[in-house]
Amino acid sequence: MSTVPDLGKLRIDRDQPAPAVRRAFRRAAWFAGIALLLLGALAAWLRRGSAVPVDVVTASLGGGTGGGAGGAVGVVANGYVVARTKAAVSAKIPGRLASLAVSEGSVVRRGDVIARLDNADYEAAVSQAEAQLASARATLVELEADRDELQREFVRTRDLRAQNPNLVSAQDAEGADSKARQGEARVQAQRARVDAASAGLRFAQATLENTYVRAPFSGTVLRKEAEVGEVVAPSVGGGLTRGAVVTMADLGTLEVEVDVNEAYIARVRGGQHARITLDAYPDTGFAGNVRQVVPTADRQRATVQVKVAILDRDPRILPEMGAKVEFLEDAAPRAGAPPAPRRIMVPAAAVRSENGASVVWIVRNGRVERHEVDAGPVSGNLRDIRSGLSGGEILLVGGLENPREGQRVRTRTP
């Protein structure tokens, strides 16, 4: 009897791979992990040695011309354009704004009406004062006529008594004289009432005039501080009360106010030529000169305010614009004066403080080098390098917070 094999017990296990396949997969995973680690290490090493892009500037001697004035740059300071003649125009009396005749940019002449307050009651007061004055004057005319009549009566009585004392008694003559004197007194009293009524009229007219806000000088309206319907008053109040109606300035008196570090104020003098550069127009220079060096210093900031007049008038120059002023040295030194020292001005960001020393980082052949310098205080975002540089060096100003000696960099101009 033959035995028949049971084929139903034969099956293929598809859930578990073969041992050889599993070993091969593990080896491939190990090789892939090692390769990734090697690639990461290589990338880190390459990145460590690659050039870092940085911002640089060239250290140069202060100098140049432009803006209608020439000469070497002595001191640089930042400030703002201001108007020497400027006012916040307000009403003399409180009231509600009835009309506003100007807007921003309006050009007005001295005495022009800028705004008007609600003044119906003041107009009525003027009319009442005019009527009272007219009435007082009419009464004065009547009293003057009565006085003249009494004066003529007295003269007649006096002449008759002088001709014949029996026709007019002394008592009648004295009575006529007394009436004439009383008539004159009533006239004088009425004249006083006329003067009082005239003064009342002038007061009412002045009060009415105070409801008109007029330009104190010729200029341009910079801002509207109130709108029609708002209550305005001579001084700033609370709630809805406004202090000023408009702010105006004479743009013909524009100048630049800058704060000069007191360490450099000895290089600035009245009448000195200057070159003005506005932040809004950095490629355009305007000529100016020092109008005033304010005779006091700011102890908190260690600066002295200097006012520079703008010689090149331009409609693009507006109040409150940021400006940089370069005070120019004389092109030709005075006879007997020592030669001016070579001065190197660099951006303040190029000078770093390390352990109490002033340090700059110079870029040479694609690598940075540390150099200590003697730097003056900041003036107009610039610093004066007294020693340590000769001019022409390429200095690091940004892009690298903590440079290392010899670190590779790639320069770019900010």
Side-chain angles (χ1 to χ4, degrees):
M1 178 175 163
S2 62
T3 304
V4 179
D6 186 3
L7 298 179
K9 295 181 179 179
L10 296 177
R11 61 183 180 183
I12 299 175
D13 189 358
R14 300 183 183 276
D15 295 333
Q16 297 291 334
V21 174
R22 288 198 301 270
R23 287 193 297 272
F25 179 78
R26 282 196 295 270
R27 284 196 300 270
W30 276 102
F31 288 145
I34 294 172
L36 289 175
L37 290 176
L38 291 176
L39 289 175
L42 179 61
W45 182 82
L46 291 176
R47 184 177 302 150
R48 182 177 181 274
S50 63
V52 178
V54 294
D55 299 328
V56 297
V57 296
T58 301
S60 59
L61 294 173
T65 60
V73 176
V75 178
V76 180
N78 293 331
Y80 295 92
V81 178
V82 298
R84 190 162 65 248
T85 304
K86 181 180 178 181
V89 184
S90 63
K92 293 183 179 180
I93 59 176
R96 188 174 301 278
L97 199 61
S99 66
L100 189 61
V102 298
S103 60
E104 288 87 350
S106 297
V107 178
V108 296
R109 300 184 65 84
R110 180 177 181 179
D112 288 351
V113 175
I114 294 175
R116 179 181 62 83
L117 304 182
D118 188 2
N119 57 7
D121 49 348
Y122 297 107
E123 290 179 345
V126 170
S127 299
Q128 183 180 14
E130 289 175 345
Q132 291 175 350
L133 177 59
S135 176
R137 285 175 174 172
T139 303
L140 176 61
V141 171
E142 294 178 357
L143 292 177
E144 286 177 341
D146 293 342
R147 178 204 60 185
D148 294 342
E149 180 64 28
L150 293 173
Q151 186 68 27
R152 287 192 296 270
E153 183 66 24
F154 166 68
V155 171
R156 215 170 26 249
T157 303
R158 183 190 61 189
D159 293 342
L160 287 174
R161 178 169 176 75
Q163 294 175 2
N164 189 352
N166 296 325
L167 294 177
V168 178
S169 64
Q171 184 177 2
D172 292 340
E174 291 178 359
D177 183 28
S178 177
K179 291 180 180 180
R181 292 177 182 274
Q182 291 177 1
E184 181 64 27
R186 286 193 293 268
V187 168
Q188 294 301 326
Q190 189 61 30
R191 283 178 178 172
R193 296 187 188 96
V194 170
D195 292 341
S198 179
L201 175 60
R202 291 195 301 271
F203 177 77
Q205 290 173 337
T207 306
L208 177 62
E209 174 61 26
N210 288 339
T211 63
Y212 294 92
V213 181
R214 298 184 181 272
F217 52 82
S218 299
T220 303
V221 176
L222 304 181
R223 291 190 306 274
K224 290 194 304 181
E225 307 291 352
E227 295 293 343
V228 174
E230 292 184 320
V231 176
V232 296
S235 60
V236 177
L240 301 177
T241 302
R242 296 296 185 96
V245 178
V246 298
T247 299
M248 60 176 294
D250 182 1
L251 299 186
T253 63
L254 290 181
E255 61 185 15
V256 180
E257 290 183 354
V258 296
D259 293 326
V260 177
N261 193 293
E262 63 182 18
Y264 298 131
I265 196 62
R267 302 179 185 175
V268 179
R269 62 189 181 279
Q272 182 177 0
H273 294 296
R275 180 169 56 246
I276 301 169
T277 305
L278 301 179
D279 295 346
Y281 309 104
D283 298 330
T284 304
F286 302 93
N289 60 19
V290 177
R291 186 182 69 84
Q292 181 188 19
V293 178
V294 177
T296 185
D298 187 331
R299 68 167 65 181
Q300 300 295 330
R301 297 184 295 173
T303 58
V304 177
Q305 188 180 76
V306 178
K307 299 181 180 182
V308 181
I310 302 175
L311 302 181
D312 293 336
R313 299 298 175 189
D314 195 298
R316 295 177 296 174
I317 304 177
L318 301 175
E320 306 305 326
M321 277 186 168
K324 180 179 73 173
V325 176
E326 301 171 355
F327 298 94
L328 306 178
E329 301 288 355
D330 293 337
R334 294 183 296 274
R342 291 164 56 89
R343 302 178 61 246
I344 297 177
M345 304 296 293
V346 301
V351 182
R352 308 188 183 200
S353 180
E354 297 181 4
N355 299 325
S358 296
V359 175
V360 297
W361 290 86
I362 300 177
V363 179
R364 285 197 179 101
N365 301 323
R367 296 183 182 275
V368 293
E369 301 175 3
R370 183 181 182 274
H371 282 259
E372 292 190 5
V373 296
D374 181 11
V378 178
S379 175
N381 294 328
L382 298 175
R383 296 191 71 173
D384 181 12
I385 304 300
R386 303 188 181 104
S387 63
L389 296 178
S390 58
E393 293 90 346
I394 299 176
L395 305 181
L396 174 69
V397 294
L400 192 58
E401 293 296 329
N402 299 307
R404 302 185 306 275
E405 186 76 27
Q407 185 175 0
R408 294 179 58 192
V409 294
R410 184 173 70 254
T411 62
R412 64 188 180 188
T413 303

